[in-house]
Amino acid sequence: MASYLHDLDRRRIPRHVAIVMDGNGRWAKQRELPRTKGHEAGERALFDTVEGALEVGVRYLTVYAFSTENWRRPKSEVRFLMNFNRGLLQRRRDELHDRGVRVRFMGRRDWRVPRSVLREMEDAERLTRHNTRMQLVIAFNYGGRTEVVDAVKELLAEHDEGKLGGERITPESISRRLYLPDVPDPDLVIRTSGEMRISNYLIWEAAYAELWFTPVLWPDFNREHLFEAIRDYQKRDRRFGKVIE
């Protein structure tokens, strides 16, 4: 670990960090630029953050790239974001693969997502599927409530088909039917841009996550801010509802 990270306790690095990458539009507006320029600048922030996560040993990094609510944005911006995310995967897929990062996606892969984008998603997953250094999970066409609804629907369908074998509806049975049940719950959720809410992000998985908010707009975020969040995380006492004597 680099000497400037000597104050981080390597035994208490959060295993899973999740980020709401917010503020691209405001960053562009402050500079009198189109909103699309904010999204482009956000790519640099994302990959510096990925490098920082690799540097300190984060095992899972989940980022909120496109929500189920984002379809309500102007059609021109939605079209740009679809093309941008497809291009991002083309540009960065090999780079992530070379660094040992496994790329995965969580969210609905439905009719609204262009087939060309779905192909790039599948290609990135296929190329990196055996990598083990870190998992980069991209929440795309994702909504927390939608995820829970889909899990319950799956449970009910299995019940109707007689496949449950007496399994009860419990928190554990729902967790097993989330989009990526093998990914551990996030330890730390970061949101940029000064907003203090999670906006339908990992609402099931983040039940006991530590929350860290920063006024920094996403295009200005970098690995140093990630390290700052981890420092604060390491000062906290995580009890999960228990009392520590």
Side-chain angles (χ1 to χ4, degrees):
M1 182 176 288
S3 60
Y4 60 89
L5 297 177
H6 67 277
D7 58 335
L8 285 182
D9 184 347
R10 297 191 68 173
R11 297 166 300 178
R12 298 188 61 217
I13 298 296
R15 182 165 59 154
H16 184 178
V17 176
I19 304 178
V20 181
M21 306 180 293
D22 193 24
N24 292 345
R26 273 168 283 174
W27 183 92
K29 185 177 181 181
Q30 287 176 0
R31 291 158 178 77
E32 298 183 348
L33 297 171
R35 287 176 59 87
T36 54
K37 293 298 182 182
H39 296 307
E40 290 173 359
E43 180 181 342
R44 294 191 297 272
L46 171 59
F47 282 89
D48 194 71
T49 302
V50 167
E51 292 285 2
L54 289 169
E55 189 174 357
V56 297
V58 172
R59 300 307 305 270
Y60 300 85
L61 177 65
T62 300
V63 295
Y64 208 177
F66 191 88
S67 76
T68 49
E69 290 73 35
N70 286 158
W71 295 106
R72 302 172 189 167
R73 293 187 177 186
K75 289 183 180 179
S76 59
E77 184 175 357
V78 170
R79 187 163 51 249
F80 171 85
L81 287 170
M82 290 297 115
N83 290 328
F84 177 74
N85 280 288
R86 182 179 60 195
L88 184 148
L89 289 171
Q90 292 172 340
R91 289 188 299 274
R92 300 287 189 163
R93 179 179 56 212
D94 292 341
E95 180 182 342
L96 290 166
H97 181 50
D98 290 343
R99 283 163 171 72
V101 176
R102 182 182 181 186
V103 180
R104 305 180 75 184
F105 293 86
M106 64 187 304
R108 282 186 172 175
R109 304 191 189 194
D110 59 21
W111 57 272
R112 293 185 294 184
V113 181
R115 272 186 255 180
S116 59
V117 177
L118 290 172
R119 280 197 299 270
E120 292 296 340
M121 292 164 59
E122 291 164 1
D123 287 347
E125 288 181 324
R126 189 179 307 112
L127 174 68
T128 65
R129 66 187 182 278
H130 297 305
N131 294 338
T132 59
R133 187 178 176 194
M134 186 178 80
Q135 291 193 26
L136 173 62
V137 178
I138 301 173
F140 188 82
N141 194 24
Y142 173 85
R145 289 179 174 178
T146 300
E147 180 181 27
V148 175
V149 167
D150 287 348
V152 173
K153 281 182 177 178
E154 185 176 334
L155 259 175
L156 294 175
E158 290 179 24
H159 176 268
D160 291 344
E161 294 168 8
K163 295 180 180 178
L164 285 184
E167 183 179 6
R168 296 173 179 268
I169 296 180
T170 64
E172 292 74 23
S173 64
I174 292 174
S175 291
R176 284 192 290 272
R177 289 163 178 84
L178 298 176
Y179 293 144
L180 295 178
D182 60 305
V183 173
D185 291 343
D187 303 293
L188 172 64
V189 175
I190 297 169
R191 180 166 186 152
T192 60
S193 86
E195 304 292 349
M196 296 188 182
R197 57 182 180 271
I198 60 173
S199 294
N200 198 22
Y201 185 44
L202 303 174
I203 59 173
W204 183 276
E205 297 92 333
Y208 282 99
E210 298 295 322
L211 306 180
W212 193 80
F213 302 103
T214 175
V216 175
L217 301 176
W218 176 248
D220 293 325
F221 193 90
N222 58 39
R223 70 184 76 188
E224 293 298 334
H225 299 106
L226 172 66
F227 301 155
E228 182 184 351
I230 292 174
R231 287 186 184 98
D232 188 68
Y233 166 86
Q234 292 187 343
K235 295 173 184 174
R236 301 187 187 184
D237 182 12
R238 306 187 74 208
R239 297 185 298 274
F240 301 96
K242 297 178 290 186
V243 174
I244 306 298
E245 297 293 342

